[in-house]
Amino acid sequence: MSWREKTLAEMLGRPAGFRRPPAEPTPLAERVMDALRTVSRLAGLSLVTMVLALPLVSAVAAFGAGSRLLLKASRGQAGGLWRELLTDVRRALPATWFLGPAGVVLVAVSVLNLAFLAGQPTLTAGVFYAVNVSALLIALWWLAACVHELAEAPGVSRAELVSRATSRATRFGPWHLAVLLGAALTVTLVIHLPLVGVIFGPGLALYLGRAADPRPTVPSNPAEVTCSNA
């Protein structure tokens, strides 16, 4: 043992030769139960999120609350998660109610534009086609960034949400790939296996986004977040 290790052991009140016992391997049965709990949580999260998102004005807030549930679950804070889901949605609504309808309008306009441009065999149409696809992806990433930021601070103000979501969306990294993969998997499941897609798609997309960037950027205690809704 080096003098640094010995000094640290003395500061912590442990014997000089103290060694932390190695962690015992997790039994197979416990791993299976953890996997089943994760699958059931994703299924329940998908169904609850889809129901809460149906009014459109609560869509982004619902997905943010679902991502926050996964964030707390990853920290082992399993108690009362579902009871807090509706509270997180209500806290996020004042800053996000317009994002759901705006996103639906944007997607509808983009789909119509793409359908029209697909039938135009000119070079200009191809350029506009690429621009429309790029705009749709940017909008998707920005809305997903809003969801991620709401998971960390449901009561964030509208101006702060826009600023933080824009900063996250414009810094390319693994999180962007996870969002794109989650969206692609959700659409694929809904097209080929509609029931499975509805039950697992939204929860799986949120899980991938959270797994790609699990570290929160703000305090986890809501009382520490003093931003007021705009």
Side-chain angles (χ1 to χ4, degrees):
M1 173 179 287
S2 67
W3 65 271
R4 293 186 181 87
E5 294 175 335
K6 183 177 180 180
T7 302
L8 181 60
E10 292 174 351
M11 290 175 62
L12 296 176
R14 295 170 178 171
F18 176 82
R19 289 289 186 275
R20 186 181 298 276
E24 297 182 0
T26 305
L28 178 60
E30 186 175 344
R31 294 181 181 178
V32 172
M33 290 302 298
D34 287 341
L36 291 176
R37 279 193 292 267
T38 300
V39 171
S40 62
R41 181 184 293 122
L42 291 179
L45 179 61
S46 294
L47 295 177
V48 172
T49 301
M50 291 298 291
V51 171
L52 293 177
L54 286 178
L56 291 184
V57 294
S58 58
V60 175
F63 279 96
S67 182
R68 183 170 176 82
L69 186 147
L70 292 176
L71 175 63
K72 291 182 178 180
S74 67
R75 297 173 178 167
Q77 302 172 357
L81 291 182
W82 297 102
R83 291 194 301 270
E84 296 177 7
L85 194 69
L86 291 177
T87 301
D88 291 336
V89 172
R90 287 195 299 267
R91 292 176 63 195
L93 267 180
T96 62
W97 65 267
F98 67 98
L99 292 176
V104 171
V105 171
L106 177 64
V107 171
V109 171
S110 297
V111 170
L112 290 175
N113 284 339
L114 293 175
F116 172 76
L117 293 171
Q120 306 298 318
T122 63
L123 179 60
T124 304
V127 173
F128 279 110
Y129 194 92
V131 170
N132 270 266
V133 172
S134 300
L136 193 59
L137 288 176
I138 291 173
L140 171 67
W141 279 328
W142 191 80
L143 287 175
C146 287
V147 168
H148 199 286
E149 297 303 325
L150 286 172
E152 299 178 3
V156 68
S157 67
R158 185 177 301 172
E160 182 67 14
L161 175 63
V162 170
S163 174
R164 287 167 49 176
T166 302
S167 176
R168 176 178 292 277
T170 53
R171 290 196 307 249
F172 188 81
W175 177 81
H176 292 73
L177 297 178
V179 169
L180 190 59
L181 177 61
L185 286 176
T186 300
V187 173
T188 302
L189 286 174
V190 170
I191 292 176
H192 296 284
L193 300 168
L195 183 59
V196 176
V198 170
I199 294 177
F200 290 102
L204 180 60
L206 290 175
Y207 180 81
L208 289 174
R210 177 55 59 188
D213 190 4
R215 295 175 297 177
T217 58
V218 298
S220 59
N221 185 0
E224 298 177 14
V225 181
T226 59
C227 295
S228 61
N229 288 316

